[in-house]
């Protein structure tokens, strides 16, 4: 995770909607249809963040580990991160 040093992309500059979040959730659920525990763990991470039990850096670390090997999901999660945060993959 590194602070953003480039201009915010067009997709991220637009206001996110509930539909955007639901689309991402559907993609996660579909990708792990045979491993429901991964989807459930993702939901638990989001609940912990909402309850302020983990911070943005903690969410990033957990999501990156949970979705390891699924580059599109990891990079797609950047859309939902606050300004100044971005998951970068080598």
């Amino acid at each position: 995770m590194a602070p953003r040093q480039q201009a915010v992309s067009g997709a991220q500059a637009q206001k996110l909607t509930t539909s955007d979040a639901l689309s991402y959730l559907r993609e996660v659920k579909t990708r792990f249809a045979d491993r429901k525990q991964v989807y459930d763990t993702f939901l638990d991470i989001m609940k912990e963040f909402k309850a302020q039990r983990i911070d943005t850096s903690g969410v990033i670390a957990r999501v990156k580990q949970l979705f390891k090997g699924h580059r599109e999901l990891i990079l797609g999660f950047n859309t939902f991160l606050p300004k100044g945060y971005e998951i970068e993959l080598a």
Side-chain angles (χ1 to χ4, degrees):
M1 158 200 72
R4 242 177 253 247
Q5 296 186 11
Q6 58 193 29
V8 177
S9 71
Q12 291 172 328
Q14 297 173 6
K15 186 170 177 134
L16 293 170
T17 66
T18 302
S19 178
D20 296 324
L22 292 175
S23 290
Y24 186 80
L25 281 175
R26 272 193 300 277
E27 178 61 28
V28 171
K29 192 171 190 176
T30 300
R31 189 74 57 98
F32 295 105
D34 60 334
R35 293 169 50 207
K36 187 178 181 309
Q37 184 59 37
V38 174
Y39 177 74
D40 291 343
T41 299
F42 178 69
L43 293 179
D44 289 342
I45 293 168
M46 296 300 99
K47 288 175 190 171
E48 287 184 46
F49 178 69
K50 186 174 182 182
Q52 299 180 350
R53 288 191 290 266
I54 57 174
D55 62 7
T56 302
S57 296
V59 169
I60 288 171
R62 291 182 186 190
V63 167
K64 195 172 177 180
Q65 180 62 37
L66 183 66
F67 294 163
K68 190 172 185 174
H70 295 272
R71 183 178 185 84
E72 305 82 24
L73 287 178
I74 293 169
L75 295 177
F77 191 71
N78 281 328
T79 303
F80 304 100
L81 294 175
K83 186 175 183 176
Y85 290 90
E86 181 176 18
I87 299 173
E88 295 177 347
L89 299 175

